[in-house]
Amino acid sequence: MEVILLERVGRLGTVGDVVKVKDGYGRNFLLPQKKAMRATKDSKAVFEARRAEIEAANASTRKDAEKYAAKLNNLSIKLVRQASEDGKLYGSVTVRDIAEGVLELGHELDRKQFVLDATIKNTGSYNAKIVLHPEVIVPLKVNVVRNESDIVEEVPEELKAPLEEAEVAATAEA
């Protein structure tokens, strides 16, 4: 199926690109979400007539997303979860949990806007992303702890090696 993209779609293209996609992807995702329209002669003419309007609307939503991204810059949340002594969670942290944590900070975002790099099944510090617009992505730091006193502090990379060497030396002396 050939479609004309109405907004930027990751790994496909930007506004106005005519791309071939699988029928199911186009029919079940791109078309209902109004991210694309079928690429027929008539729709290409309609798109070209509305191209400036579509690009202006896209630029406007991107500008709004960039303003909101400035408010979310350097955002981090702390989630307290039950875990074993070695830090393994009894369950996992999901996108819904992260969305609720961000909501507690006063930012109302849809859970579909959050992207996790990997599943969270242990305590520690993790990275996530908030997709405000296909071209505006904000990093989010997620700290998962067993209780309030176990706040994970981020250690810079250049300090990790000396700390690990000191720990090895301390265990060798004992």
Side-chain angles (χ1 to χ4, degrees), residues 15-154:
V15 177
D17 289 350
V18 177
V19 294
K20 265 194 153 179
V21 295
K22 292 190 177 189
D23 291 343
Y25 183 59
R27 186 176 50 248
N28 298 324
F29 179 71
L30 294 175
L31 297 176
Q33 298 282 326
K34 306 266 191 256
K35 295 179 183 280
M37 60 192 287
R38 289 185 188 268
T40 63
K41 288 182 180 180
D42 295 337
S43 62
K44 287 179 184 178
V46 169
F47 175 78
E48 288 303 324
R50 293 184 38 212
R51 183 182 200 105
E53 176 186 324
I54 292 169
E55 288 177 349
N58 189 31
S60 172
T61 56
R62 180 179 181 193
K63 190 180 294 185
D64 293 343
E66 287 172 346
K67 286 180 185 176
Y68 197 68
K71 294 178 186 176
L72 296 176
N73 200 13
N74 296 325
L75 184 67
S76 71
I77 61 170
K78 179 182 67 169
L79 300 173
V80 179
R81 296 289 181 260
Q82 290 184 349
S84 65
E85 289 294 322
D86 61 345
K88 189 159 177 78
L89 296 178
Y90 299 130
S92 64
V93 174
T94 63
V95 171
R96 179 177 284 149
D97 299 326
I98 294 171
E100 289 172 1
V102 171
L103 180 63
E104 289 175 7
L105 296 176
H107 302 286
E108 190 168 340
L109 297 168
D110 187 22
R111 71 174 190 213
K112 294 177 185 174
Q113 293 178 296
F114 293 91
V115 177
L116 282 174
D117 295 335
T119 49
I120 300 175
K121 295 189 176 201
N122 294 310
T123 58
S125 182
Y126 297 90
N127 294 320
K129 298 175 197 159
I130 304 172
V131 180
L132 298 174
H133 183 271
E135 300 171 13
V136 180
I137 298 173
V138 179
L140 172 68
K141 181 67 93 181
V142 179
N143 290 318
V144 181
V145 295
R146 284 182 55 199
N147 55 37
E148 294 288 330
S149 63
D150 290 345
I151 298 173
V152 177
E153 295 295 328
E154 186 64 28

